[in-house]
Amino acid sequence: MGQIVFAAGAPHAPAIVGLFDRAPADSQKVVKDTYTAITQELKAAQPDVLIVFANDHLANSRITLYPDFLIGTAAQHSGPHEWFQEWIGCRDYSAKGNPDVAKALFQGMTRRGIRMSSREENLKFDDNISVPVVMTDLDRTEITLVPVLQNCTVPPFPSPEKCYEVGTALRDFIEKDLPKDMRVALFGSGGLSHEPGGVKYYKIDEEFDRAFLDLCVKGDHKELLKEITVERLEEAGIGGTAELLSWFPVMAAIGERPGRSFGYTGWPSFRCGVGGVIWDLEAKQ
Amino acid sequence: MAWEKFNPNLAAHDLVQDMKWDPKLREEFKRNEAAVLDRYKLMPEERKAIEERDFRTLYDLGMHPYLGGQLSRFIWGNDAGKGAVEASNKLVASLQGHSRDIPNT
């Protein structure tokens, strides 16, 4: 029986790397505090494997044949993919994969009625995986990585309820299918409000972002599913804010638990609201 | 803009996807855009909109905005500090229907 030892959600906006030096001090502090806490607590939890749910930005599949959840089963996960290097402005990395866990996840979710897909080749990573990996220096640890690239942008994409169902199955998979004492970390990568490529490219919905972070910190999932609908996500930024659906499998897998956030910034040049949550796994459900 | 206009059939999506995956195609697009566009089954109005950098029309035809954003970076610049910012300024200006680079906020 595997055990979830760490769970967090945070944005992967490329500008938190590429434009960090130009950001005002209070915005820098939010990025630094959030990712420092995530890095320290992730390492302290000593996980064997980190499963990251992150949206695919149409980098791995044609729009005409688009998987909702694509598991990377490679032995190494290198990135960022060539075209995204100058755009993110981050260093290259090669994180250790975990083909055994990745393939078990594919089989386990299939057996539980959750349609996923898998690919053995190195997936093409843009900011989705690259930003959390370089911000936490994951590739410089012994922690293995299993990326699950999620469809949050090609309609019709999985709803909050569906993503929650995925997380419930994920918990069952971790408890029943993974080896005894395997330590598992979970991370939802994406959000907060933004509209990449849209007419509201420069708008950030601070009210939505703060309300979303509060709901995550509170850990009341009935309220979360009531408040956070696809319509509300899209209202806060079409094609971008729905990346927060990658936090839902994580929250469902750990159950209703409170969390901590580390401030919020809506600095326009990040072109994305920024704030993250680490959930308290010691707290009673 | 909303998803009701989204049309997953547009050939422009394949153009953007292919350029992301192929540095040689990107280079050719810069050098001889027409030759690259010739190879895609673009509707006449879709091709015209690409040639005229008219993103408003492209989105009205059903282009996915994320791929629209990436198309703007092939045209105007992709680097974190400068090019990508210029690209998004021009993209938003086009969507808002004016020719100034700095978007209305």
Side-chain angles (χ1 to χ4, degrees), chain A residues 76-98:
Chain A
Q76 289 285 326
H77 299 289
S78 300
H81 187 66
E82 170 261 333
W83 187 58
F84 304 103
Q85 286 168 346
E86 64 169 357
W87 178 60
I88 307 172
C90 76
R91 64 177 174 81
D92 291 343
Y93 60 86
S94 185
K96 292 172 200 68
N98 195 325

Side-chain angles (χ1 to χ4, degrees), chain A residues 18-19 22 57-64 66 81-89 124 126-127 152-155 157 195-203 234 238-239 243 271, chain B residues 1-3 6 8-9 13-14 17-23 26 56 59 64-70 73-74 78-82 84-85 88-89 91-92 95-96 103-105:
Chain A
L19 296 182
R22 298 185 204 179
H57 299 97
L58 290 142
N60 286 281
S61 307
R62 299 251 175 222
I63 209 165
T64 47
Y66 205 73
H81 187 66
E82 170 261 333
W83 187 58
F84 304 103
Q85 286 168 346
E86 64 169 357
W87 178 60
I88 307 172
K124 298 175 187 74
D126 47 33
D127 47 342
C152 300
T153 193
V154 179
F157 46 82
E195 188 168 298
V199 72
K200 291 190 291 179
Y201 216 155
Y202 290 86
K203 302 271 169 125
E234 298 292 60
I238 288 172
E243 292 178 0
R271 273 177 265 148
Chain B
M1 183 187 61
W3 290 120
F6 171 57
N9 293 299
H13 296 138
D14 285 331
Q17 298 276 70
D18 288 340
M19 286 209 283
K20 265 193 295 198
W21 298 331
D22 183 356
R26 291 203 292 276
R56 177 73 274 155
Y59 285 20
H64 192 288
Y66 202 89
L67 296 178
Q70 293 185 325
R73 292 185 355 234
F74 295 126
N78 186 42
D79 59 294
K82 191 168 172 291
V85 175
S88 52
N89 282 347
L91 167 66
V92 174
L95 293 175
Q96 290 181 343
N104 296 326
T105 53

Side-chain angles (χ1 to χ4, degrees), chain A:
Chain A
M1 167 174 174
Q3 184 192 355
I4 301 173
V5 296
F6 174 85
H12 57 233
I16 65 174
V17 177
L19 296 182
F20 180 83
D21 292 341
R22 298 185 204 179
D26 55 339
S27 299
Q28 285 186 343
K29 186 174 186 307
V30 172
V31 173
K32 205 160 174 252
D33 288 354
T34 302
Y35 264 101
T36 300
I38 288 170
T39 305
Q40 287 173 350
E41 295 188 32
L42 173 68
K43 287 177 182 168
Q46 298 185 306
D48 299 300
V49 60
L50 170 66
I51 302 175
V52 179
F53 281 78
N55 63 293
D56 181 64
H57 299 97
L58 290 142
N60 286 281
S61 307
R62 299 251 175 222
I63 209 165
T64 47
L65 187 65
Y66 205 73
D68 283 340
F69 296 91
L70 178 60
I71 303 168
T73 65
Q76 289 285 326
H77 299 289
S78 300
H81 187 66
E82 170 261 333
W83 187 58
F84 304 103
Q85 286 168 346
E86 64 169 357
W87 178 60
I88 307 172
C90 76
R91 64 177 174 81
D92 291 343
Y93 60 86
S94 185
K96 292 172 200 68
N98 195 325
D100 290 344
V101 170
K103 287 176 183 175
L105 176 65
F106 185 34
Q107 186 184 13
M109 296 306 265
T110 302
R111 283 171 47 201
R112 287 170 177 81
I114 303 292
R115 162 70 65 192
M116 289 200 171
S117 307
S118 84
R119 224 176 266 178
E120 203 163 6
E121 69 194 51
N122 197 132
L123 295 172
K124 298 175 187 74
F125 300 122
D126 47 33
D127 47 342
N128 52 8
I129 294 292
S130 305
V131 168
V133 167
V134 299
M135 293 292 278
T136 60
D137 282 334
L138 185 76
D139 54 324
R140 294 166 179 167
T141 72
E142 291 303 310
I143 304 166
T144 59
L145 169 67
V146 173
V148 181
L149 298 188
Q150 186 175 337
N151 173 20
C152 300
T153 193
V154 179
F157 46 82
S159 66
E161 289 76 16
K162 180 67 192 179
C163 296
Y164 200 86
E165 190 190 327
V166 168
T168 306
L170 176 67
R171 168 164 50 180
D172 195 60
F173 159 76
I174 291 168
E175 286 177 354
K176 293 185 181 150
D177 293 13
L178 287 183
K180 192 170 170 288
D181 300 330
M182 180 172 273
R183 298 172 70 80
V184 181
L186 300 176
F187 187 79
S189 169
L192 301 165
S193 69
H194 62 308
E195 188 168 298
V199 72
K200 291 190 291 179
Y201 216 155
Y202 290 86
K203 302 271 169 125
I204 288 170
D205 189 336
E206 181 167 343
E207 190 188 337
F208 169 85
D209 288 342
R210 289 187 182 277
F212 181 80
L213 288 173
D214 286 348
L215 283 167
C216 291
V217 164
K218 203 169 153 194
D220 178 339
H221 291 176
K222 273 201 191 80
E223 195 181 349
L224 178 82
L225 289 167
K226 182 169 163 275
E227 297 293 327
I228 307 302
T229 58
V230 168
E231 292 71 27
R232 185 65 191 96
L233 288 162
E234 298 292 60
E235 192 186 316
I238 288 172
T241 313
E243 292 178 0
L244 288 168
L245 290 169
S246 290
W247 296 29
F248 280 64
V250 176
M251 283 191 272
I254 60 170
E256 292 192 303
R257 296 175 197 272
R260 285 164 291 134
S261 73
F262 306 88
Y264 171 80
T265 176
W267 185 50
S269 293
F270 281 152
R271 273 177 265 148
C272 183
V274 174
V277 173
I278 299 176
W279 284 284
D280 183 1
L281 301 178
E282 302 298 320
K284 283 189 180 165
Q285 280 187 261

Side-chain angles (χ1 to χ4, degrees), chain B residues 7 10 12 37 41-63:
Chain B
N7 179 1
L10 289 195
L37 297 184
K41 290 180 183 166
L42 300 157
M43 297 180 291
E45 60 271 39
E46 188 182 0
R47 177 166 179 146
K48 186 164 174 275
I50 293 171
E51 289 170 341
E52 294 180 352
R53 315 313 190 210
D54 178 358
F55 285 82
R56 177 73 274 155
T57 296
L58 270 178
Y59 285 20
D60 287 343
L61 289 170
M63 183 153 200

